[in-house]
Amino acid sequence: MILDKRDESEFSDAWMQAFHLIEKKVTDPEIKSEVDEFRKDIFILTFRSTGSSDLPAYISDDVDLICSYYVHGIESRWIAHLLFTYLHHQIPQGILMETDQTLYELIK
């Protein structure tokens, strides 16, 4: 199951490491509000597709993490791989799809 693979240390440890690097960064309130709206939209779309609240919460957290790195101009290969996996219509879990592109290049 997807959630089980996300909870395994290979993925979970990398996710938490990325989160801890960004968690204390202060985001402009307007930008934070926009990101929160985007997260909400993603949560609702995923919930409607799956009927589960767990998976949408994980995906919404991923969106917040990706946006935080982008907003603060922090490059991370792991975050780029996380986004790249989503861009290939996959839910990140375990080993991510890899890319040589930066987060900025993937978003623009």
Side-chain angles (χ1 to χ4, degrees):
M1 175 176 210
I2 293 170
L3 297 180
D4 292 337
K5 286 189 175 190
R6 288 181 61 102
D7 285 337
E8 291 177 2
S9 65
E10 181 174 28
F11 183 88
S12 180
D13 291 351
W15 198 99
M16 289 306 297
Q17 182 179 1
F19 172 75
H20 288 307
L21 183 75
I22 198 84
E23 72 180 319
K24 297 203 189 309
K25 298 277 186 192
V26 176
T27 303
D28 176 89
E30 269 187 55
I31 293 173
K32 176 82 171 108
S33 179
E34 289 179 34
V35 170
D36 288 346
E37 263 313 298
F38 185 53
R39 286 184 70 181
K40 178 181 166 189
D41 292 344
I42 294 294
F43 183 94
I44 291 169
L45 286 170
T46 308
F47 180 78
R48 286 183 182 156
S49 296
T50 65
S52 163
S53 61
D54 293 333
L55 185 57
Y58 278 85
I59 292 173
S60 173
D61 287 346
D62 288 351
V63 167
D64 187 50
L65 190 63
I66 292 165
C67 288
S68 293
Y69 270 75
Y70 181 74
V71 164
H72 291 287
I74 300 171
E75 280 297 333
S76 161
R77 295 204 57 75
W78 193 85
I79 295 294
H81 297 330
L82 182 70
L83 177 57
F84 189 70
T85 301
Y86 275 114
L87 292 175
H88 283 84
H89 309 285
Q90 301 293 316
I91 297 172
Q93 56 185 304
I95 298 172
L96 301 176
M97 297 178 74
E98 294 188 7
T99 181
D100 290 332
Q101 293 178 285
T102 66
L103 181 60
Y104 179 78
E105 291 169 335
L106 290 170
I107 289 176
K108 71 173 193 170

